[in-house]
Amino acid sequence: MEYRNLKTGAVINVSSKISGENWALVENEKKPTNKKPSPKKIPPKKVVAKKEPVKKVVAKKEPVKKNEITKTKIMQELDAFGIKYDSKSSKDELYQLMIEGG
């Protein structure tokens, strides 16, 4: 049996009956706990994204005009294509080589 001292608040659990003016029998009283009640766990909602078809964007390559590109850029393009050239060639010759080879 569980008894509580009304004056001090002390609680004791004994198998015999206690008498006294400050002791009261604790009946069907829930023991206080230090734990907070855990909130109900709500599972997250699954969001299904609609997949839209992927559109491929193809950039149209317009030929570069000879007057819009430098000789150095033409030589870089030829190097990128792996085309051999003479660095002493004129811009016009290199440009023609780039157009034919690219």
Side-chain angles (χ1 to χ4, degrees), residues 15-50:
S15 58
S16 59
K17 187 175 181 181
I18 294 182
S19 61
E21 61 181 70
N22 293 327
W23 291 100
L25 179 63
V26 178
E27 293 182 27
N28 299 330
E29 199 175 293
K30 287 187 177 180
K31 294 181 183 178
T33 60
N34 293 337
K35 292 183 180 180
K36 293 181 181 177
S38 60
K40 291 183 180 178
K41 292 183 180 180
I42 301 172
K45 292 182 180 180
K46 291 184 180 180
V47 178
V48 179
K50 293 181 180 179

Side-chain angles (χ1 to χ4, degrees), residues 31-83:
K31 294 181 183 178
T33 60
N34 293 337
K35 292 183 180 180
K36 293 181 181 177
S38 60
K40 291 183 180 178
K41 292 183 180 180
I42 301 172
K45 292 182 180 180
K46 291 184 180 180
V47 178
V48 179
K50 293 181 180 179
K51 292 184 180 180
E52 294 185 20
V54 178
K55 295 179 182 178
K56 292 185 180 180
V57 178
V58 179
K60 293 182 181 178
K61 288 188 176 181
E62 295 183 20
V64 178
K65 295 180 183 175
K66 195 175 4 178
N67 61 351
E68 295 176 349
I69 191 168
T70 63
K71 182 178 177 180
T72 307
K73 293 283 185 183
I74 294 170
M75 289 191 287
Q76 288 176 349
E77 289 295 317
L78 291 171
D79 289 337
F81 291 135
I83 299 172

